[in-house]
Amino acid sequence: MPSSKQYVIDSLSIKESWRLFKIMSELVDGFETLSELEQCVSIFGSARVAPDSPLYKETETLARMLVEAGYGVITGGGPGLMEAGNKGAASVNGTSVGLHIHLPMEQHTNNYMNVRCNFRYFFVRKLMFIKYAMAYVVMPGGIGTLDELTEAFVLTQTNRIKPFPIILYKSEFWSGLLDWVRDQMVSGGYISEKELDLITIMDTPEEVVAHIKKHVII
């Protein structure tokens, strides 16, 4: 049976309150490292997409175009689509930020970051994504990507943060999810149709950059 020390949340207790100082340290390090960032777009997506994938190439192109439009790029700093985002930004000497999380697997970083922070706690990392982003682009991905999407959605929905563009990339991947939300959540009265206006689906890097330029003036 794996050691319980592997599970960070389970190891928090009143007897181990010193861990709060580790959390505070991550917060302080994040604020100090990222405080100079301006006009950045966070790109989320799967760590499991290979470099020869069309989606990898599109993510790289999107990041390059964002830098050329005057924005920096923030990713999770790992492989797959995160690497593609950092690579595209770095290819045109743009701000290329990686917010790296230590995980039992898929934890290696990519080589295309010029600003980097390391985290053990997901909630601290997600705070940094939110605080320093002017828009979110959510590429296809797994549960981690979905978690980052819903975090941004609920904070905007509840007016905890200033609304910003939340863009889902590739209708063929995301439209089924939104159909389910409408069929189940909206029809059941759990959320309103208007709240879904916070999310936009787009299919090309050009569409994404044009939408962000329209809504995020720099």
Side-chain angles (χ1 to χ4, degrees):
M1 184 174 181
S3 169
S4 62
K5 291 183 179 180
Q6 175 183 345
Y7 305 106
V8 177
I9 297 298
D10 290 344
S11 64
L12 289 172
S13 72
I14 192 65
K15 295 179 180 179
E16 296 177 316
S17 57
W18 58 270
R19 289 186 182 273
L20 296 175
F21 291 99
K22 286 189 174 183
I23 295 171
M24 291 173 61
S25 175
E26 286 198 0
L27 286 166
V28 171
D29 286 347
F31 292 147
E32 288 186 347
T33 302
L34 305 175
S35 62
E36 301 298 320
L37 293 181
E38 296 180 352
Q39 293 102 28
C40 284
V41 175
S42 289
I43 298 178
F44 302 100
S46 175
R48 306 183 185 189
V49 175
D52 60 355
S53 164
L55 193 57
Y56 183 105
K57 302 299 184 184
E58 289 180 55
T59 307
E60 187 178 346
T61 298
L62 170 60
R64 175 179 53 77
M65 292 179 63
L66 284 169
V67 169
E68 291 172 342
Y71 304 97
V73 170
I74 303 174
T75 82
L81 298 184
M82 293 176 281
E83 177 183 283
N86 288 130
K87 184 178 180 181
S91 70
V92 284
N93 299 314
T95 299
S96 180
V97 183
L99 306 183
H100 176 238
I101 188 79
H102 293 281
L103 297 173
M105 57 181 179
E106 294 174 354
Q107 62 181 336
H108 66 279
T109 58
N110 67 69
N111 297 319
Y112 301 101
M113 300 173 284
N114 48 46
V115 179
R116 172 178 169 176
C117 285
N118 296 303
F119 300 96
R120 291 192 70 225
Y121 300 97
F122 273 105
F123 63 92
V124 179
R125 182 181 184 234
K126 287 194 290 184
L127 170 61
M128 300 303 160
F129 275 125
I130 289 283
K131 180 173 176 56
Y132 296 103
M134 303 183 76
Y136 266 28
V137 181
V138 190
M139 311 298 289
I143 296 301
T145 302
L146 192 61
D147 178 46
E148 288 149 349
L149 164 61
T150 54
E151 176 86 2
F153 182 84
V154 75
L155 289 175
T156 305
Q157 177 196 38
T158 56
N159 295 314
R160 291 299 187 267
I161 60 173
K162 182 180 179 180
F164 58 49
I166 302 174
I167 301 165
L168 305 184
Y169 192 82
K170 285 300 179 191
S171 55
E172 63 196 48
F173 184 87
W174 291 109
S175 58
L177 174 64
L178 293 192
D179 288 344
W180 177 85
V181 170
R182 289 188 176 93
D183 291 344
Q184 300 298 324
M185 293 185 178
V186 174
S187 65
Y190 302 111
I191 67 171
S192 70
E193 179 70 32
K194 183 174 178 57
E195 287 174 305
L196 283 183
D197 291 342
L198 297 171
I199 295 176
T200 305
I201 295 182
M202 294 185 170
D203 288 299
T204 68
E206 291 78 10
E207 286 181 298
V208 173
V209 174
H211 183 77
I212 292 174
K213 287 174 67 176
K214 180 179 178 180
H215 291 87
V216 181
I217 308 300
I218 58 175

